Amino acid sequence: RLVTGVQTCALPILGNDRVALILGDNIFYGYNFTQRLKSAANRKDGATIFGYHVSNPKDFGIVEFDGNNNIVSIEEKPEKPKSNYAVCGLYFYDNDVIDIAKNVKQSARGEIEITSVNNEYLKRKKLKVELLGRGMAWHGLIPEHIEDF
């Protein structure tokens, strides 16, 4: 649904600009967050995703990376997660996102996934991850857990 909205609403107004995208069900707070945002915003080429360590990785899109924080893979709600780092609903993209989003197809889960956009950047070797670590709080609302509030 997200990419469909981007495809129909946002693409006509982006022009040649870069774009930041945040999912509406996310809350971020904490130490050094502004620096992480500036770091992502200052990248002129490619895309940046944000990763946060979680104890329930099957509930999220998961990013796997090597010892140098180079992204190896991204999977949407995997049965066997390759890491415990969730992709936490905050993205920075260069203008190539327009053409990438236009060409996204339904996933095996039958949905249009933002993970497909991110995997295209990964395929092009233009995807970076900013890890949100100690001193940061992130909450990505999972509909099944709404009664926890």
Side-chain angles (χ1 to χ4, degrees), residues 40-59:
N42 286 333
R43 288 191 182 104
K44 305 283 187 241
D45 189 39
T48 302
I49 61 175
F50 291 77
Y52 188 83
H53 192 274
V54 296
S55 60
N56 54 334
K58 290 182 180 183
D59 290 335

Side-chain angles (χ1 to χ4, degrees), residues 95-106:
N95 197 257
D96 290 347
V97 73
I98 294 172
D99 289 327
I100 292 170
K102 285 180 184 176
N103 293 302
V104 169
K105 307 288 185 239
Q106 276 192 348

Side-chain angles (χ1 to χ4, degrees), residues 4-65:
T4 303
V6 170
Q7 288 169 328
T8 58
C9 299
L11 296 182
I13 61 172
L14 288 178
N16 294 320
D17 292 331
R18 296 186 316 262
V19 62
L21 176 67
I22 184 169
L23 302 183
D25 59 355
N26 284 268
I27 299 169
F28 297 90
Y29 180 80
Y31 176 75
N32 217 12
F33 188 48
T34 301
Q35 290 305 106
R36 300 249 187 250
L37 294 175
K38 286 180 181 178
S39 177
N42 286 333
R43 288 191 182 104
K44 305 283 187 241
D45 189 39
T48 302
I49 61 175
F50 291 77
Y52 188 83
H53 192 274
V54 296
S55 60
N56 54 334
K58 290 182 180 183
D59 290 335
F60 300 97
I62 296 298
V63 59
E64 174 191 18
F65 49 91

